[in-house]
Amino acid sequence: MEIEEIKPESLNPDDFIRQKVDDVSSAVGSGLAVNALSGGVDSSAVTLLGHRALGERLKTYFIENGLMREGEPERVASLFKGMGIPVEIVDSKKEFFGALKGLTDPEEKREVITQTFYRAVLARLVRESGAKFLLHGTIYTDVEETVAGIKRQHNILEQLGIDTEKEFGYKVLEPLVQLRKPGVRMVAKALGLPEEVYKRMPFPGPALATRVIGEVTPEKIELVRKATTIVEHELADTEAFLYFAVLHENKVPGMRSGKRDYGWQIEVRCWDSKDATTGSPTRLPWETLDKLAERITSEVPGVVNVTYNITNKPPSTMEVV
Ligand code: XMP
């Protein structure tokens, strides 16, 4: 890869921020830029960096794709409003679910989310706002895995030879691309983001769609969203790198009140990892697993079975799609 990685031990966050603020200012000049904020550490850091460089000439959107976790759009918009950064929530649920209809192949699902995000929704916002630049939270690991052909990360464009100016009508600026997650967290902290943001666990760009095996529908997203809330709550104290719920494609036989109950299967994954390149399942106490199974089968409608992933990455990947 041509990008020069900056490792945490040689990163000075304040110098890095000064440099990137200068880079963004000179690239955008007196023009306008937009960015999409998801509330994760990468896009939050880019939002603050961008606002430091451009002030009101950066317009920040939260794309409500219908695939986010419970209460996210409102929570994120209000957090940034509190920091003096207005965030516009763009309701694009119909576009995303329409595009995903009927698709089951993981790479096709990822591709269609990318296209809807960049070609349909963001390109329209850029056109309407008169901006020429998209500020983007791509990090080193995203590029690495995509270029290596492991998994197409949703936010990789130019590194795959996509000319974004020609294809989508805007240039992409990626101020964090030399950093991995630990470096981004250092920068996010130095930018003054609260701990709940700079320590936040990763969440993938294609959001809960990466946690539904098979076709993604609003109903299935609702199930995995409910299970995710439970998993995040029950595992909050583990300090694991990443934990979440997955909805399996097929229903399985179960029983309730002595009768057959054909229902959904949820898989729980919880990862120990330093930077997502490799990972191993957290050795959770049996009582915790027991509680997860109990809560998920009683609180998520139609779920009759809960499993826990015990495979390392590799050969597994962290997300299921
Ligand atoms: P995998 O599943 O590739 O996950 O082992 C490694 C890390 O990357 C996150 N991930 C993504 N992040 N866009 C992102 O921004 C994506 O398309 C994507 N896919 C996976 C995943 O959550 C984990 O932290």
Short mmCIF file of all heavy atoms in Angstrom, two decimals, residues 137-194:
data_model
loop_
_atom_site.label_atom_id
_atom_site.label_comp_id
_atom_site.label_asym_id
_atom_site.label_seq_id
_atom_site.Cartn_x
_atom_site.Cartn_y
_atom_site.Cartn_z
N GLY A 137 -14.07 9.44 6.95
CA GLY A 137 -13.34 8.86 8.08
C GLY A 137 -12.64 7.54 7.80
O GLY A 137 -12.45 6.74 8.71
N THR A 138 -12.24 7.31 6.56
CA THR A 138 -11.52 6.06 6.23
C THR A 138 -10.27 5.91 7.09
O THR A 138 -9.52 6.87 7.26
CB THR A 138 -11.01 6.11 4.77
OG1 THR A 138 -11.96 6.80 3.99
CG2 THR A 138 -10.70 4.74 4.24
N ILE A 139 -10.01 4.69 7.60
CA ILE A 139 -8.76 4.47 8.33
C ILE A 139 -7.93 3.38 7.64
O ILE A 139 -8.42 2.70 6.73
CB ILE A 139 -9.00 4.16 9.83
CG1 ILE A 139 -9.66 2.80 10.04
CG2 ILE A 139 -9.83 5.26 10.47
CD1 ILE A 139 -9.69 2.37 11.51
N TYR A 140 -6.70 3.24 8.11
CA TYR A 140 -5.72 2.37 7.45
C TYR A 140 -6.23 0.93 7.28
O TYR A 140 -6.11 0.34 6.21
CB TYR A 140 -4.43 2.39 8.27
CG TYR A 140 -3.25 1.82 7.54
CD1 TYR A 140 -2.50 2.61 6.67
CD2 TYR A 140 -2.87 0.49 7.72
CE1 TYR A 140 -1.41 2.08 6.00
CE2 TYR A 140 -1.78 -0.04 7.05
CZ TYR A 140 -1.06 0.77 6.19
OH TYR A 140 0.02 0.24 5.53
N THR A 141 -6.84 0.40 8.35
CA THR A 141 -7.30 -1.00 8.31
C THR A 141 -8.37 -1.22 7.23
O THR A 141 -8.43 -2.27 6.61
CB THR A 141 -7.88 -1.41 9.68
OG1 THR A 141 -7.21 -0.66 10.69
CG2 THR A 141 -7.75 -2.87 9.93
N ASP A 142 -9.24 -0.22 7.05
CA ASP A 142 -10.30 -0.33 6.02
C ASP A 142 -9.67 -0.56 4.65
O ASP A 142 -10.09 -1.42 3.87
CB ASP A 142 -11.13 0.96 5.92
CG ASP A 142 -11.84 1.30 7.22
OD1 ASP A 142 -12.07 0.38 8.01
OD2 ASP A 142 -12.16 2.49 7.42
N VAL A 143 -8.64 0.26 4.36
CA VAL A 143 -7.99 0.17 3.05
C VAL A 143 -7.28 -1.17 2.91
O VAL A 143 -7.41 -1.86 1.90
CB VAL A 143 -6.96 1.32 2.87
CG1 VAL A 143 -6.35 1.27 1.48
CG2 VAL A 143 -7.61 2.66 3.13
N GLU A 144 -6.56 -1.52 3.97
CA GLU A 144 -5.76 -2.75 3.96
C GLU A 144 -6.60 -3.98 3.63
O GLU A 144 -6.28 -4.77 2.75
CB GLU A 144 -5.16 -2.89 5.35
CG GLU A 144 -4.07 -3.88 5.49
CD GLU A 144 -3.51 -3.81 6.91
OE1 GLU A 144 -4.29 -3.83 7.88
OE2 GLU A 144 -2.30 -3.72 7.04
N GLU A 145 -7.74 -4.14 4.33
CA GLU A 145 -8.55 -5.35 4.14
C GLU A 145 -9.22 -5.37 2.77
O GLU A 145 -9.38 -6.40 2.15
CB GLU A 145 -9.62 -5.46 5.24
CG GLU A 145 -9.00 -5.71 6.59
CD GLU A 145 -9.89 -6.48 7.54
OE1 GLU A 145 -11.10 -6.57 7.30
OE2 GLU A 145 -9.35 -6.98 8.54
N THR A 146 -9.59 -4.19 2.29
CA THR A 146 -10.26 -4.13 0.99
C THR A 146 -9.27 -4.42 -0.13
O THR A 146 -9.54 -5.21 -1.02
CB THR A 146 -10.91 -2.75 0.78
OG1 THR A 146 -11.79 -2.53 1.86
CG2 THR A 146 -11.68 -2.70 -0.52
N VAL A 147 -8.11 -3.77 -0.04
CA VAL A 147 -7.10 -3.96 -1.08
C VAL A 147 -6.64 -5.43 -1.09
O VAL A 147 -6.42 -6.02 -2.14
CB VAL A 147 -5.90 -2.99 -0.87
CG1 VAL A 147 -4.77 -3.32 -1.84
CG2 VAL A 147 -6.37 -1.55 -1.09
N ALA A 148 -6.57 -6.04 0.09
CA ALA A 148 -6.16 -7.44 0.17
C ALA A 148 -7.28 -8.38 -0.30
O ALA A 148 -7.07 -9.58 -0.43
CB ALA A 148 -5.77 -7.78 1.60
N GLY A 149 -8.46 -7.82 -0.54
CA GLY A 149 -9.57 -8.64 -1.05
C GLY A 149 -10.24 -9.49 0.02
O GLY A 149 -10.95 -10.44 -0.30
N ILE A 150 -10.03 -9.15 1.31
CA ILE A 150 -10.65 -9.93 2.37
C ILE A 150 -12.13 -9.62 2.44
O ILE A 150 -13.00 -10.48 2.43
CB ILE A 150 -9.96 -9.64 3.74
CG1 ILE A 150 -8.51 -10.11 3.69
CG2 ILE A 150 -10.72 -10.33 4.88
CD1 ILE A 150 -7.65 -9.60 4.81
N LYS A 151 -12.43 -8.33 2.51
CA LYS A 151 -13.82 -7.92 2.62
C LYS A 151 -13.89 -6.50 2.09
O LYS A 151 -13.06 -5.67 2.42
CB LYS A 151 -14.21 -7.95 4.10
CG LYS A 151 -15.68 -7.79 4.36
CD LYS A 151 -15.98 -7.82 5.83
CE LYS A 151 -16.04 -9.22 6.38
NZ LYS A 151 -16.64 -9.25 7.72
N ARG A 152 -14.87 -6.22 1.28
CA ARG A 152 -14.97 -4.88 0.73
C ARG A 152 -15.53 -3.94 1.79
O ARG A 152 -16.70 -4.01 2.14
CB ARG A 152 -15.93 -4.88 -0.46
CG ARG A 152 -15.93 -3.56 -1.19
CD ARG A 152 -17.21 -3.41 -1.97
NE ARG A 152 -17.09 -2.45 -3.04
CZ ARG A 152 -16.85 -1.15 -2.86
NH1 ARG A 152 -16.64 -0.67 -1.66
NH2 ARG A 152 -16.79 -0.34 -3.90
N GLN A 153 -14.67 -3.11 2.36
CA GLN A 153 -15.14 -2.16 3.36
C GLN A 153 -15.93 -1.10 2.62
O GLN A 153 -15.53 -0.62 1.56
CB GLN A 153 -13.96 -1.54 4.11
CG GLN A 153 -13.06 -2.56 4.77
CD GLN A 153 -13.60 -3.09 6.09
OE1 GLN A 153 -14.23 -2.37 6.83
NE2 GLN A 153 -13.37 -4.34 6.37
N HIS A 154 -17.00 -0.74 3.24
CA HIS A 154 -17.99 0.12 2.63
C HIS A 154 -17.43 1.48 2.20
O HIS A 154 -17.90 2.07 1.24
CB HIS A 154 -19.12 0.20 3.66
CG HIS A 154 -19.82 1.47 3.80
ND1 HIS A 154 -20.93 1.75 3.06
CD2 HIS A 154 -19.60 2.52 4.59
CE1 HIS A 154 -21.37 2.92 3.43
NE2 HIS A 154 -20.59 3.41 4.35
N ASN A 155 -16.39 1.95 2.87
CA ASN A 155 -15.96 3.32 2.62
C ASN A 155 -14.74 3.45 1.71
O ASN A 155 -14.13 4.49 1.63
CB ASN A 155 -15.67 4.02 3.95
CG ASN A 155 -14.81 3.17 4.86
OD1 ASN A 155 -14.38 2.10 4.47
ND2 ASN A 155 -14.54 3.65 6.05
N ILE A 156 -14.36 2.37 1.05
CA ILE A 156 -13.17 2.44 0.21
C ILE A 156 -13.55 2.74 -1.23
O ILE A 156 -14.31 1.99 -1.85
CB ILE A 156 -12.38 1.13 0.27
CG1 ILE A 156 -11.99 0.82 1.71
CG2 ILE A 156 -11.14 1.18 -0.61
CD1 ILE A 156 -11.19 1.91 2.38
N LEU A 157 -13.01 3.81 -1.77
CA LEU A 157 -13.40 4.20 -3.11
C LEU A 157 -12.16 4.38 -3.99
O LEU A 157 -11.89 3.58 -4.87
CB LEU A 157 -14.21 5.52 -3.05
CG LEU A 157 -15.45 5.45 -2.15
CD1 LEU A 157 -15.94 6.83 -1.78
CD2 LEU A 157 -16.55 4.67 -2.82
N GLU A 158 -11.39 5.44 -3.70
CA GLU A 158 -10.27 5.76 -4.58
C GLU A 158 -9.22 4.66 -4.61
O GLU A 158 -8.61 4.41 -5.63
CB GLU A 158 -9.65 7.10 -4.16
CG GLU A 158 -10.60 8.23 -4.52
CD GLU A 158 -10.07 9.61 -4.19
OE1 GLU A 158 -9.11 9.72 -3.42
OE2 GLU A 158 -10.66 10.57 -4.71
N GLN A 159 -9.03 3.98 -3.47
CA GLN A 159 -8.02 2.91 -3.43
C GLN A 159 -8.43 1.73 -4.29
O GLN A 159 -7.63 0.87 -4.60
CB GLN A 159 -7.79 2.44 -1.99
CG GLN A 159 -7.12 3.47 -1.11
CD GLN A 159 -8.09 4.47 -0.49
OE1 GLN A 159 -9.28 4.44 -0.80
NE2 GLN A 159 -7.60 5.35 0.34
N LEU A 160 -9.71 1.67 -4.68
CA LEU A 160 -10.15 0.62 -5.60
C LEU A 160 -10.20 1.12 -7.03
O LEU A 160 -10.78 0.50 -7.91
CB LEU A 160 -11.55 0.12 -5.17
CG LEU A 160 -11.61 -0.72 -3.89
CD1 LEU A 160 -13.06 -1.07 -3.57
CD2 LEU A 160 -10.81 -1.99 -4.03
N GLY A 161 -9.62 2.33 -7.22
CA GLY A 161 -9.57 2.88 -8.58
C GLY A 161 -10.84 3.63 -8.97
O GLY A 161 -11.06 3.91 -10.15
N ILE A 162 -11.68 3.95 -7.99
CA ILE A 162 -12.91 4.68 -8.31
C ILE A 162 -12.59 6.18 -8.32
O ILE A 162 -12.11 6.71 -7.33
CB ILE A 162 -14.02 4.37 -7.27
CG1 ILE A 162 -14.38 2.88 -7.32
CG2 ILE A 162 -15.25 5.24 -7.50
CD1 ILE A 162 -15.26 2.40 -6.19
N ASP A 163 -12.85 6.84 -9.45
CA ASP A 163 -12.65 8.27 -9.55
C ASP A 163 -13.91 8.94 -9.02
O ASP A 163 -14.91 9.07 -9.74
CB ASP A 163 -12.38 8.65 -11.02
CG ASP A 163 -12.17 10.15 -11.18
OD1 ASP A 163 -12.51 10.92 -10.26
OD2 ASP A 163 -11.67 10.54 -12.25
N THR A 164 -13.88 9.35 -7.77
CA THR A 164 -15.13 9.83 -7.13
C THR A 164 -15.63 11.12 -7.77
O THR A 164 -16.83 11.36 -7.81
CB THR A 164 -14.91 10.08 -5.62
OG1 THR A 164 -13.88 11.05 -5.46
CG2 THR A 164 -14.56 8.80 -4.90
N GLU A 165 -14.70 11.93 -8.30
CA GLU A 165 -15.13 13.19 -8.90
C GLU A 165 -15.97 12.91 -10.15
O GLU A 165 -17.01 13.50 -10.36
CB GLU A 165 -13.90 14.02 -9.24
CG GLU A 165 -14.18 15.48 -9.04
CD GLU A 165 -12.93 16.34 -9.14
OE1 GLU A 165 -11.81 15.78 -9.29
OE2 GLU A 165 -13.08 17.55 -9.09
N LYS A 166 -15.47 11.94 -10.94
CA LYS A 166 -16.18 11.59 -12.17
C LYS A 166 -17.46 10.81 -11.86
O LYS A 166 -18.51 11.08 -12.42
CB LYS A 166 -15.23 10.73 -13.03
CG LYS A 166 -15.59 10.77 -14.50
CD LYS A 166 -14.46 10.23 -15.36
CE LYS A 166 -14.93 8.97 -16.04
NZ LYS A 166 -13.94 7.93 -16.14
N GLU A 167 -17.33 9.85 -10.94
CA GLU A 167 -18.46 8.94 -10.67
C GLU A 167 -19.57 9.59 -9.85
O GLU A 167 -20.74 9.37 -10.09
CB GLU A 167 -17.95 7.72 -9.90
CG GLU A 167 -17.02 6.85 -10.70
CD GLU A 167 -17.75 5.72 -11.39
OE1 GLU A 167 -18.79 5.30 -10.90
OE2 GLU A 167 -17.25 5.27 -12.44
N PHE A 168 -19.16 10.33 -8.81
CA PHE A 168 -20.17 10.84 -7.87
C PHE A 168 -20.24 12.37 -7.82
O PHE A 168 -21.13 12.93 -7.18
CB PHE A 168 -19.88 10.34 -6.43
CG PHE A 168 -19.65 8.86 -6.31
CD1 PHE A 168 -18.62 8.36 -5.52
CD2 PHE A 168 -20.47 7.94 -6.96
CE1 PHE A 168 -18.40 7.00 -5.38
CE2 PHE A 168 -20.25 6.58 -6.84
CZ PHE A 168 -19.22 6.10 -6.06
N GLY A 169 -19.28 13.05 -8.43
CA GLY A 169 -19.34 14.51 -8.44
C GLY A 169 -18.67 15.19 -7.27
O GLY A 169 -18.93 16.36 -7.00
N TYR A 170 -17.83 14.48 -6.52
CA TYR A 170 -17.10 15.13 -5.44
C TYR A 170 -15.75 14.45 -5.21
O TYR A 170 -15.56 13.30 -5.55
CB TYR A 170 -17.91 15.14 -4.14
CG TYR A 170 -18.47 13.79 -3.73
CD1 TYR A 170 -17.67 12.84 -3.10
CD2 TYR A 170 -19.81 13.47 -3.95
CE1 TYR A 170 -18.18 11.61 -2.71
CE2 TYR A 170 -20.34 12.25 -3.57
CZ TYR A 170 -19.52 11.32 -2.95
OH TYR A 170 -20.03 10.11 -2.58
N LYS A 171 -14.84 15.24 -4.62
CA LYS A 171 -13.52 14.72 -4.25
C LYS A 171 -13.57 14.24 -2.80
O LYS A 171 -14.26 14.86 -1.98
CB LYS A 171 -12.50 15.86 -4.32
CG LYS A 171 -11.63 15.87 -5.53
CD LYS A 171 -10.48 16.85 -5.26
CE LYS A 171 -9.24 16.48 -6.01
NZ LYS A 171 -9.14 16.74 -7.37
N VAL A 172 -12.86 13.17 -2.49
CA VAL A 172 -12.87 12.64 -1.13
C VAL A 172 -11.58 13.01 -0.41
O VAL A 172 -10.49 12.82 -0.94
CB VAL A 172 -13.04 11.10 -1.15
CG1 VAL A 172 -12.99 10.54 0.26
CG2 VAL A 172 -14.36 10.71 -1.82
N LEU A 173 -11.71 13.57 0.79
CA LEU A 173 -10.54 13.84 1.63
C LEU A 173 -10.57 12.89 2.81
O LEU A 173 -11.61 12.75 3.47
CB LEU A 173 -10.57 15.29 2.15
CG LEU A 173 -10.66 16.40 1.09
CD1 LEU A 173 -10.79 17.76 1.77
CD2 LEU A 173 -9.41 16.38 0.20
N GLU A 174 -9.44 12.24 3.08
CA GLU A 174 -9.40 11.21 4.14
C GLU A 174 -8.31 11.51 5.16
O GLU A 174 -7.25 10.89 5.15
CB GLU A 174 -9.16 9.84 3.49
CG GLU A 174 -10.26 9.44 2.53
CD GLU A 174 -9.98 8.16 1.77
OE1 GLU A 174 -8.82 7.94 1.35
OE2 GLU A 174 -10.91 7.37 1.60
N PRO A 175 -8.55 12.44 6.05
CA PRO A 175 -7.48 12.87 6.97
C PRO A 175 -7.00 11.80 7.95
O PRO A 175 -5.91 11.92 8.51
CB PRO A 175 -8.09 14.06 7.72
CG PRO A 175 -9.54 14.04 7.44
CD PRO A 175 -9.77 13.25 6.20
N LEU A 176 -7.78 10.72 8.16
CA LEU A 176 -7.37 9.72 9.16
C LEU A 176 -6.76 8.47 8.56
O LEU A 176 -6.49 7.49 9.26
CB LEU A 176 -8.60 9.30 10.01
CG LEU A 176 -9.39 10.39 10.69
CD1 LEU A 176 -10.56 9.79 11.46
CD2 LEU A 176 -8.49 11.19 11.64
N VAL A 177 -6.54 8.48 7.24
CA VAL A 177 -6.22 7.24 6.55
C VAL A 177 -4.87 6.62 6.96
O VAL A 177 -4.62 5.45 6.70
CB VAL A 177 -6.35 7.43 5.02
CG1 VAL A 177 -5.16 8.17 4.44
CG2 VAL A 177 -6.60 6.12 4.31
N GLN A 178 -4.01 7.41 7.62
CA GLN A 178 -2.72 6.85 8.05
C GLN A 178 -2.81 6.17 9.42
O GLN A 178 -1.83 5.62 9.90
CB GLN A 178 -1.67 7.96 8.12
CG GLN A 178 -1.26 8.49 6.77
CD GLN A 178 -0.43 9.74 6.96
OE1 GLN A 178 -0.96 10.83 7.13
NE2 GLN A 178 0.87 9.57 6.94
N LEU A 179 -3.97 6.22 10.05
CA LEU A 179 -4.10 5.70 11.42
C LEU A 179 -4.93 4.43 11.48
O LEU A 179 -5.83 4.23 10.67
CB LEU A 179 -4.80 6.75 12.31
CG LEU A 179 -4.20 8.16 12.34
CD1 LEU A 179 -5.08 9.07 13.18
CD2 LEU A 179 -2.77 8.12 12.88
N ARG A 180 -4.61 3.59 12.46
CA ARG A 180 -5.51 2.50 12.83
C ARG A 180 -6.33 2.99 14.02
O ARG A 180 -6.11 4.08 14.54
CB ARG A 180 -4.71 1.26 13.20
CG ARG A 180 -4.01 0.63 12.01
CD ARG A 180 -3.27 -0.61 12.47
NE ARG A 180 -2.37 -1.09 11.44
CZ ARG A 180 -2.68 -2.03 10.54
NH1 ARG A 180 -3.86 -2.60 10.56
NH2 ARG A 180 -1.80 -2.40 9.63
N LYS A 181 -7.24 2.11 14.47
CA LYS A 181 -8.18 2.53 15.52
C LYS A 181 -7.52 3.14 16.77
O LYS A 181 -7.96 4.19 17.24
CB LYS A 181 -9.02 1.30 15.90
CG LYS A 181 -10.42 1.58 16.36
CD LYS A 181 -11.25 2.38 15.41
CE LYS A 181 -12.52 1.72 15.03
NZ LYS A 181 -13.22 2.37 13.92
N PRO A 182 -6.45 2.53 17.31
CA PRO A 182 -5.88 3.12 18.52
C PRO A 182 -5.39 4.56 18.29
O PRO A 182 -5.55 5.42 19.16
CB PRO A 182 -4.70 2.18 18.85
CG PRO A 182 -5.07 0.89 18.21
CD PRO A 182 -5.81 1.24 16.96
N GLY A 183 -4.84 4.83 17.11
CA GLY A 183 -4.39 6.19 16.78
C GLY A 183 -5.57 7.14 16.65
O GLY A 183 -5.52 8.29 17.12
N VAL A 184 -6.65 6.66 16.03
CA VAL A 184 -7.84 7.51 15.88
C VAL A 184 -8.40 7.88 17.26
O VAL A 184 -8.82 9.02 17.50
CB VAL A 184 -8.94 6.81 15.05
CG1 VAL A 184 -10.16 7.71 14.89
CG2 VAL A 184 -8.40 6.42 13.69
N ARG A 185 -8.37 6.91 18.18
CA ARG A 185 -8.89 7.20 19.53
C ARG A 185 -8.06 8.29 20.21
O ARG A 185 -8.59 9.17 20.89
CB ARG A 185 -8.88 5.93 20.39
CG ARG A 185 -9.86 4.87 19.92
CD ARG A 185 -10.05 3.79 20.99
NE ARG A 185 -10.62 2.56 20.45
CZ ARG A 185 -11.90 2.38 20.14
NH1 ARG A 185 -12.75 3.37 20.29
NH2 ARG A 185 -12.32 1.22 19.66
N MET A 186 -6.73 8.25 20.01
CA MET A 186 -5.86 9.29 20.60
C MET A 186 -6.21 10.66 20.02
O MET A 186 -6.29 11.66 20.74
CB MET A 186 -4.39 8.96 20.32
CG MET A 186 -3.86 7.77 21.11
SD MET A 186 -2.31 7.13 20.41
CE MET A 186 -1.16 8.44 20.77
N VAL A 187 -6.41 10.70 18.70
CA VAL A 187 -6.73 11.97 18.04
C VAL A 187 -8.11 12.46 18.49
O VAL A 187 -8.31 13.65 18.77
CB VAL A 187 -6.67 11.79 16.50
CG1 VAL A 187 -7.28 12.98 15.77
CG2 VAL A 187 -5.23 11.57 16.05
N ALA A 188 -9.07 11.54 18.59
CA ALA A 188 -10.43 11.91 19.00
C ALA A 188 -10.42 12.52 20.40
O ALA A 188 -11.09 13.51 20.67
CB ALA A 188 -11.35 10.69 18.95
N LYS A 189 -9.61 11.93 21.28
CA LYS A 189 -9.51 12.45 22.65
C LYS A 189 -8.89 13.86 22.63
O LYS A 189 -9.40 14.77 23.28
CB LYS A 189 -8.64 11.49 23.48
CG LYS A 189 -8.57 11.86 24.93
CD LYS A 189 -7.78 10.83 25.71
CE LYS A 189 -7.72 11.25 27.18
NZ LYS A 189 -6.79 10.44 27.94
N ALA A 190 -7.82 14.00 21.85
CA ALA A 190 -7.15 15.31 21.78
C ALA A 190 -8.05 16.37 21.15
O ALA A 190 -7.89 17.57 21.42
CB ALA A 190 -5.85 15.17 20.98
N LEU A 191 -9.00 15.95 20.32
CA LEU A 191 -9.92 16.91 19.72
C LEU A 191 -11.00 17.36 20.71
O LEU A 191 -11.80 18.24 20.42
CB LEU A 191 -10.61 16.28 18.50
CG LEU A 191 -9.80 16.23 17.21
CD1 LEU A 191 -10.42 15.23 16.23
CD2 LEU A 191 -9.73 17.61 16.56
N GLY A 192 -11.04 16.70 21.87
CA GLY A 192 -12.00 17.11 22.90
C GLY A 192 -13.30 16.33 22.86
O GLY A 192 -14.28 16.72 23.51
N LEU A 193 -13.34 15.23 22.11
CA LEU A 193 -14.56 14.42 22.11
C LEU A 193 -14.72 13.73 23.46
O LEU A 193 -13.72 13.37 24.10
CB LEU A 193 -14.50 13.38 20.98
CG LEU A 193 -14.84 13.93 19.60
CD1 LEU A 193 -14.29 13.04 18.51
CD2 LEU A 193 -16.35 14.11 19.45
N PRO A 194 -15.96 13.52 23.91
CA PRO A 194 -16.14 12.87 25.22
C PRO A 194 -15.71 11.40 25.17
O PRO A 194 -15.68 10.79 24.10
CB PRO A 194 -17.65 12.98 25.47
CG PRO A 194 -18.26 13.27 24.15
CD PRO A 194 -17.23 13.92 23.29
#
